[in-house]
């Protein structure tokens, strides 16, 4: 779930229903030279997430107000973590939350007036790029549901991107091929692009036995 306020100018908030951040990792979460995705170099070959950017939270802390709300299954309630501009944990309070994690980024580039002005000037352009990227993820990642909303001021919150409900775990669904893979891909296209556009697309399915490669997709 991605929640925007004022196209991301005031708030960018990302929530998931994953396993949460382990208590031992919380003080390290936003520090430089730290990442929870890798414990050894060989982990690069077995990543099953949507990717990662090293030190992303550390970089965000330097130019915005960052807070993380998380909960693991063993905990009775969630915890809200606040980080300073150096990525150090500056506050920790108990709060309600189901298992998973929410990262909130407020007032991006507030500490850099010139960069903030440039950000506001190109806000709609960058917002369009964000929506396009989310649509691409929503189309191909059939095991994850994407919902993006935007609220301008105190107005109504509008759904910008919404993918089809997942049919199972990320790995199992993205590994589907052939007819089943095409069916899930078309369901995603209907949710993201609309029924008329999705139903007008042509299915492509090619399999090369010699190399063991299978290609399937939709073309307009």
């Amino acid at each position: 779930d991605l929640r925007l306020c004022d196209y991301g100018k005031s708030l960018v908030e990302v929530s998931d229903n994953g396993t949460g951040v382990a208590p031992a990792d919380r003080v390290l979460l936003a520090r430089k030279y730290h990442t929870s995705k890798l414990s050894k170099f060989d982990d690069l070959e077995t990543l099953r997430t949507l990717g990662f950017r090293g030190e992303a939270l550390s970089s965000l802390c330097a130019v915005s107000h960052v807070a993380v709300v998380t909960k693991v299954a063993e905990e009775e309630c969630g915890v809200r973590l606040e980080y300073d501009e150096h990525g150090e944990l500056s506050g920790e309070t108990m709060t309600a939350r189901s298992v998973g994690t929410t990262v909130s980024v407020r007032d991006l580039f507030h500490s850099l007036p010139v960069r903030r002005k440039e950000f506001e000037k190109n806000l709609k352009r960058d917002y369009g790029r964000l929506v396009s990227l989310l649509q691409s993820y929503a189309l191909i990642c059939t095991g994850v549901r994407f919902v993006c909303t935007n609220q301008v001021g105190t107005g109504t919150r509008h759904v910008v991107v919404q993918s089809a409900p997942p049919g199972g775990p990320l790995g199992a669904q993205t590994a589907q091929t052939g007819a089943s893979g095409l069916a899930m891909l078309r369901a995603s296209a209907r949710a993201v692009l609309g029924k008329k556009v999705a139903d007008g697309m042509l299915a492509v399915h090619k399999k090369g036995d010699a190399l063991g490669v299978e290609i399937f997709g939709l073309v307009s």
Side-chain angles (χ1 to χ4, degrees):
D1 184 66
L2 174 59
R3 187 164 71 96
L4 305 173
C5 288
D6 300 318
Y7 306 100
K9 182 176 70 173
S10 303
L11 172 70
V12 178
E13 183 177 272
V14 181
S15 301
D16 69 26
N17 61 344
T19 58
V21 180
D25 294 333
R26 292 169 185 172
V27 69
L28 309 173
L29 194 62
R31 287 183 179 175
K32 289 186 176 181
Y33 317 118
H34 289 74
T35 174
S36 62
K37 297 292 178 73
L38 302 174
S39 59
K40 56 184 183 298
F41 188 80
D42 291 344
D43 289 345
L44 286 170
E45 299 180 0
T46 57
L47 282 174
R48 298 182 66 186
T49 66
L50 299 179
F52 68 96
R53 179 195 182 281
E55 301 184 29
L57 287 178
S58 175
S59 298
L60 287 170
C61 285
V63 295
S64 63
H65 300 117
V66 175
V68 177
V69 178
T70 190
K71 179 181 182 294
V72 296
E74 295 76 17
E75 294 178 311
E76 294 185 358
C77 64
V79 60
R80 176 182 171 84
L81 310 167
E82 296 183 359
Y83 296 89
D84 64 19
E85 65 272 20
H86 304 294
E88 297 293 333
L89 183 61
S90 60
E92 184 173 346
T93 55
M94 308 305 269
T95 187
R97 204 218 187 274
S98 56
V99 175
T101 303
T102 299
V103 179
S104 300
V105 176
R106 295 184 180 274
D107 304 321
L108 188 61
F109 301 122
H110 72 95
S111 57
L112 303 170
V114 176
R115 183 65 183 86
R116 173 71 178 187
K117 186 175 181 180
E118 186 71 12
F119 172 59
E120 292 176 348
K121 177 183 177 181
N122 299 308
L123 187 62
K124 294 290 184 68
R125 182 199 65 186
D126 293 337
Y127 170 76
R129 290 175 175 174
L130 171 63
V131 170
S132 178
L133 179 63
L134 285 173
Q135 287 177 330
S136 299
Y137 275 126
L139 284 171
I140 64 172
C141 299
T142 54
V144 178
R145 188 172 195 189
F146 291 83
V147 179
C148 176
T149 61
N150 181 56
Q151 180 180 10
V152 179
T154 58
T156 304
R157 181 165 295 280
H158 296 283
V159 176
V160 180
V161 177
Q162 181 169 284
S163 64
L170 174 62
Q173 293 303 309
T174 53
Q176 293 291 326
T177 58
S180 59
L182 277 170
M184 287 187 294
L185 185 58
R186 195 176 292 278
S188 294
R190 285 172 179 159
V192 176
L193 304 175
K195 186 177 185 301
K196 183 177 180 180
V197 173
D199 289 350
M201 290 181 166
L202 300 177
V204 176
H205 184 203
K206 298 293 182 181
K207 189 173 183 179
D209 295 330
L211 297 177
V213 176
E214 185 174 9
I215 300 173
F216 68 94
L218 300 171
V219 296
S220 58

